[in-house]
């Protein structure tokens, strides 16, 4: 049976990216490193082509150490569904630290350029509620946020915002 997992291409800093993600996600591990026989030039130094396999919360990923490439964008991103505000804050803050950037609606770009969306599970419940008026208010509130604030979504949903 075939296995599918995300493959992330970095410009010579894939090991740093892997180590950063391993530090953010508590349930993570290194799965292996494979180096090729050649390298590439980056900022006046030779960097080896290499593959770094790792796992985050049960998801296997592969980071490729290679040369310059197209930049990451939102067309393919990593989605984190969180259980509550505390977990939302943790992941959003950790992934935007040290050069990451906040984006609207729970999106962010980490310091390596990878796009993530951090959404508390209650947000999806509120925004897909059968009561379309309540769901619409919650969704409109989310559109005004970068990091999702559960209490603000709940207030909008209840018509109190």
């Amino acid at each position: 049976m075939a296995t599918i997992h995300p493959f992330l291409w970095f410009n010579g800093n894939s090991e740093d990216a892997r180590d950063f993600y391993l530090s953010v996600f508590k349930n993570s591990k290194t799965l292996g490193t494979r180096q090729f026989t050649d390298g590439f030039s980056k900022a006046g130094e030779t960097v080896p082509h290499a593959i770094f396999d790792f796992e985050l919360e049960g998801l296997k990923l592969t980071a490729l150490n290679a040369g310059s490439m197209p930049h990451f964008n939102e067309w393919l991103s990593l989605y984190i569904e969180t259980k509550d505000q505390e977990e939302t804050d943790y992941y959003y803050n950790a992934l935007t630290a040290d050069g990451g950037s906040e984006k609207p609606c729970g999106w962010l770009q980490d310091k390596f350029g990878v796009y993530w969306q951090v959404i508390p599970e209650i947000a999806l419940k509120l925004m897909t509620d059968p009561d379309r008026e309540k769901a619409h208010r919650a969704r409109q509130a989310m559109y005004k946020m970068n990091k999702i604030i559960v209490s603000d979504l709940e207030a909008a949903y209840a018509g109190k915002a």
Side-chain angles (χ1 to χ4, degrees), residues 15-67:
E15 187 172 17
D16 294 337
R18 180 212 53 198
D19 292 347
F20 172 67
Y21 301 136
L22 292 173
S23 76
V24 170
F25 293 89
K26 293 166 183 55
N27 184 23
S28 63
K29 61 184 171 185
T30 299
L31 299 176
T33 300
R34 294 170 277 167
Q35 287 199 358
F36 299 102
T37 57
D38 62 338
F40 60 94
S41 180
K42 179 184 174 215
E45 64 177 303
T46 300
V47 178
H49 277 123
I51 290 176
F52 300 90
D53 292 315
F54 58 106
E55 187 175 286
L56 305 176
E57 303 297 334
L59 175 66
K60 181 182 175 188
L61 296 108
T62 297
L64 173 67
N65 212 33

Side-chain angles (χ1 to χ4, degrees), residues 2 5 14 33 42-43 46 57 81 89 93 96 107 114 119 122 131 136 143 149 158:
H5 60 269
S14 60
T33 300
K42 179 184 174 215
T46 300
E57 303 297 334
E81 187 174 311
D89 293 346
N93 295 341
T96 55
W107 290 91
V114 175
I119 301 290
I122 187 69
D131 183 327
H136 179 75
Y143 291 158
I149 306 300

